[in-house]
C-alpha cells in the first residue's frame, strides 16, 4: 500500500513543484518578460523552464536542507513512520508558505472551506494555505509582469506614432520596435536585473 501511495504522490510531484514553490512566480514573470520583448520563441520554453527550475532549487535550498535533516533522514533510518514524517514536514512548509501568502487570500480560503480563523499559522490546514499561497503568487507575478511591460509599451507607442506619422502603413510597428526593445534590454543588462530582483523578492 505504501508503494502505491508513493507512486500516486510521484504523479502529483510536477503539480506540487509548480504550485507550492517559487517556480510559479518565476515562470509567470519570465513569460511576461518574453511577451514584453516581443520574442515569441526566444528564449525557448525549455530554457525558461530550466532557468525557473534551477532558481527554484536555489531559493528552496534552506527549506529542503531542513526537511532532509528533520524528516527524510529519520524516515530512511526507520526512526519515524510515513505519517509521522508528514506531520514533521508540515510546520516547515507552513512557515515557508505563510511568508508569501496574503491574509486576504487565507481569509478567502477559510471562508470557502467554512473553517474558523486559527490562532496561529501552525494551526492552518495545508489544504487552506496552499491555494491561498497560489493566489498570492499569481497576484505578485502579474504585478511584476505589468511593471516589466510598461517600458516596452512606451517604446511600442513611440515607434507606432513615428511610423504612422511618416506614412509607413505597410510596415508593422512591432517589427520596427522589436530591435529597439531588445537593444534596450541588453544595454541595461536586463537579465541580470530581472533575475536578481526576482530572487530577492523571496
Amino acid at each position: 500500500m505504501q508503494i502505491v501511495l508513493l507512486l500516486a504522490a510521484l504523479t502529483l510531484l510536477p503539480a506540487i513543484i509548480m504550485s507550492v514553490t517559487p517556480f510559479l512566480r518565476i515562470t509567470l514573470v519570465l513569460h511576461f518578460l518574453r511577451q514584453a520583448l516581443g520574442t515569441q520563441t526566444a528564449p525557448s520554453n525549455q530554457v525558461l523552464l530550466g532557468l525557473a527550475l534551477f532558481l527554484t532549487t536555489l531559493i528552496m535550498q534552506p527549506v529542503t536542507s531542513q526537511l532532509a535533516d528533520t524528516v527524510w533522514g529519520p524516515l530512511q533510518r526507520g526512526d519515524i513512520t510515513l505519517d509521522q514524517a508528514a506531520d514533521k514536514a508540515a510546520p516547515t512548509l507552513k512557515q515557508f508558505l505563510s511568508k508569501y501568502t496574503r491574509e486576504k487570500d487565507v481569509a478567502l480560503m477559510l471562508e470557502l472551506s467554512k473553517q474558523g480563523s486559527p490562532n496561529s499559522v501552525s494551526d492552518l490546514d495545508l489544504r487552506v494555505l496552499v491555494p491561498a499561497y497560489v493566489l498570492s503568487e499569481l497576484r505578485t507575478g502579474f504585478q511584476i509582469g505589468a511593471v516589466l511591460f510598461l517600458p516596452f509599451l512606451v517604446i511600442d507607442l513611440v515607434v507606432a506614432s513615428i511610423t504612422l506619422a511618416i506614412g509607413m502603413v505597410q510596415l508593422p510597428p512591432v517589427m520596427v520596435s522589436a530591435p529597439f526593445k531588445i537593444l534596450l534590454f541588453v544595454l541595461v543588462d536586463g537579465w541580470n536585473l530581472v533575475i536578481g530582483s526576482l530572487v530577492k523578492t523571496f
Side-chain angles (χ1 to χ4, degrees):
M1 180 60 71
Q2 285 186 348
I3 293 174
V4 172
L5 291 175
L6 182 60
L7 290 174
L10 287 175
T11 60
L12 298 174
L13 188 60
I16 293 171
I17 292 175
M18 287 187 291
S19 301
V20 296
T21 63
F23 187 85
L24 175 60
R25 186 191 303 186
I26 294 170
T27 50
L28 269 177
V29 172
L30 292 179
H31 170 75
F32 277 117
L33 177 61
R34 188 171 65 178
Q35 292 291 108
L37 283 170
T39 55
Q40 301 300 322
T41 56
S44 64
N45 288 331
Q46 289 85 352
V47 172
L48 293 184
L49 291 176
L51 177 60
L53 190 59
F54 282 116
L55 290 176
T56 301
T57 305
L58 178 67
I59 296 167
M60 292 293 292
Q61 195 270 332
V63 178
T64 53
S65 296
Q66 186 177 351
L67 290 175
D69 294 337
T70 60
V71 179
W72 184 249
L75 181 63
Q76 276 196 320
R77 293 192 299 269
D79 297 338
I80 58 176
T81 64
L82 193 60
D83 292 337
Q84 291 173 329
D87 292 337
K88 291 188 71 173
T92 304
L93 292 175
K94 289 178 182 178
Q95 184 180 3
F96 172 77
L97 296 176
S98 62
K99 288 181 183 178
Y100 311 105
T101 306
R102 297 189 309 159
E103 292 183 8
K104 185 177 181 180
D105 294 323
V106 173
L108 174 63
M109 291 301 119
L110 288 172
E111 181 184 349
L112 293 176
S113 61
K114 296 180 173 57
Q115 295 184 21
S117 299
N119 296 324
S120 64
V121 174
S122 58
D123 296 330
L124 271 174
D125 195 332
L126 280 173
R127 290 174 295 180
V128 170
L129 189 56
V130 167
Y133 170 81
V134 173
L135 286 180
S136 299
E137 287 296 281
L138 286 173
R139 180 178 183 272
T140 305
F142 272 78
Q143 281 181 328
I144 298 173
V147 172
L148 284 175
F149 250 104
L150 292 177
F152 300 110
L153 179 61
V154 171
I155 294 176
D156 282 333
L157 290 174
V158 170
V159 170
S161 300
I162 293 173
T163 53
L164 195 61
I166 62 179
M168 297 175 62
V169 183
Q170 302 299 326
L171 185 64
V174 177
M175 291 185 62
V176 181
S177 63
F180 290 104
K181 290 191 288 187
I182 295 171
L183 183 61
L184 172 66
F185 191 69
V186 171
L187 286 176
V188 299
D189 198 6
W191 287 111
N192 186 285
L193 288 174
V194 171
I195 298 302
S197 301
L198 186 56
V199 172
K200 288 175 184 175
T201 59
F202 290 98

